[in-house]
Amino acid sequence: MLETEKIRQLIAQALTARTFSYSPYSHFQVGAALLTKDGQIYRGCNIENAAYGPSNCAERTAIFKAVSEGQLDFAAIAITGGKEGEHDYAAPCGVCRQVMMEFCEPDFEIIVAKSETEYKVYTLKELLPEGFGRANLQ
Ligand code: THU
């Protein structure tokens, strides 16, 4: 498990990412900060669309930013969410869990945070047991 100071740093980055949330339809703001195994952090926010369907979650924004820059080894992600002006726990949606399944190992840490001191830590295996992944196609 990541040390407390590293968890707090990652949550702080997710809170910054959340300030860029583009969510004029749901007014639910999400920020994520993805930590690579070599110590880099990729931030992402949710980005909504008037046609609704093309909207993207914060987690996938961060993961796709990282993968598109050649990163494929991930250690952890911190996620912060809540309605505008509020802070609440926001666990990743099913689609984001499946995208994590593609790129992350079972012990990948998912930090669901309300603040730098209020958070829960899960593993991908806990949030997506028996997930379908690349190994199933081999
Ligand atoms: N959202 C995320 O960004 N991450 C999640 O894991 C849950 C939902 C976003 C999508 C949409 O912009 C808003 O929160 C409300 O669903």
Side-chain angles (χ1 to χ4, degrees):
M1 184 149 126
L2 285 185
E3 57 190 46
T4 306
E5 189 47 38
K6 197 72 219 172
I7 290 176
R8 289 190 180 171
Q9 280 174 15
L10 208 55
I11 294 171
Q13 291 291 325
L15 287 165
T16 297
R18 189 177 174 228
T19 66
F20 304 124
S21 167
Y22 179 77
S23 42
Y25 306 106
S26 73
H27 302 282
F28 192 86
Q29 303 175 322
V30 188
L34 176 68
L35 178 69
T36 65
K37 285 187 184 168
D38 65 4
Q40 295 189 60
I41 293 174
Y42 288 83
R43 296 192 299 225
C45 63
N46 57 329
I47 304 170
E48 297 185 348
N49 188 281
Y52 288 26
S55 299
N56 206 50
C57 290
E59 299 90 320
R60 275 176 289 145
T61 302
I63 294 168
F64 293 156
K65 277 175 68 179
V67 172
S68 66
E69 296 290 334
Q71 294 285 352
L72 286 172
D73 295 319
F74 304 117
I77 192 168
I79 307 158
T80 61
K83 291 180 199 156
E84 258 167 31
E86 295 176 22
H87 289 271
D88 207 353
Y89 294 114
C93 80
V95 173
C96 289
R97 292 179 200 201
Q98 183 62 31
V99 169
M100 291 172 193
M101 180 80 195
E102 184 67 27
F103 298 109
C104 308
E105 281 151 28
D107 64 351
F108 176 73
E109 289 182 37
I110 300 168
I111 301 150
V112 178
K114 225 166 145 172
S115 70
E116 282 180 44
T117 52
E118 297 167 287
Y119 58 84
K120 306 175 199 179
V121 184
Y122 305 96
T123 61
L124 178 57
K125 197 178 175 177
E126 283 177 311
L127 295 192
L128 189 62
E130 303 296 336
F132 184 88
R134 285 174 290 148
N136 297 96
L137 297 178
Q138 280 162 6

